Amino acid sequence: MNIVRDLIELLFVVAIGGMVVSSIRRIKSASIRPYLCTVCQRPTARGYAKCRHCGAPVTE
């Protein structure tokens, strides 16, 4: 019987569940939008200097 370990695992499950629910709510309310390349209009990461689809420079 490891009550402390079980309580820590329960806290992790509650925390992860809360993050998932929060993310789903933000996606449904459209407050999270993907960053789109200005040239090809496809989703891309802002962390790279060039779009991985068309090679255009990424600007914010």
Side-chain angles (χ1 to χ4, degrees):
M1 291 181 38
N2 290 326
I3 294 174
V4 175
R5 184 193 68 197
D6 292 342
L7 288 175
I8 291 172
E9 288 179 6
L10 178 64
L11 288 175
F12 279 127
V13 168
V14 169
I16 292 171
M19 286 187 280
V20 168
V21 169
S22 175
S23 297
I24 290 172
R25 284 183 183 165
R26 288 183 68 188
I27 289 171
K28 286 175 117 179
S29 69
S31 63
I32 296 177
R33 293 183 308 262
Y35 180 76
L36 300 176
C37 174
T38 56
V39 176
C40 66
Q41 296 300 314
R42 294 178 68 182
T44 189
R46 290 178 285 182
Y48 297 107
K50 294 182 180 180
C51 174
R52 64 183 184 139
H53 302 291
C54 66
V58 174
T59 57
E60 293 199 35

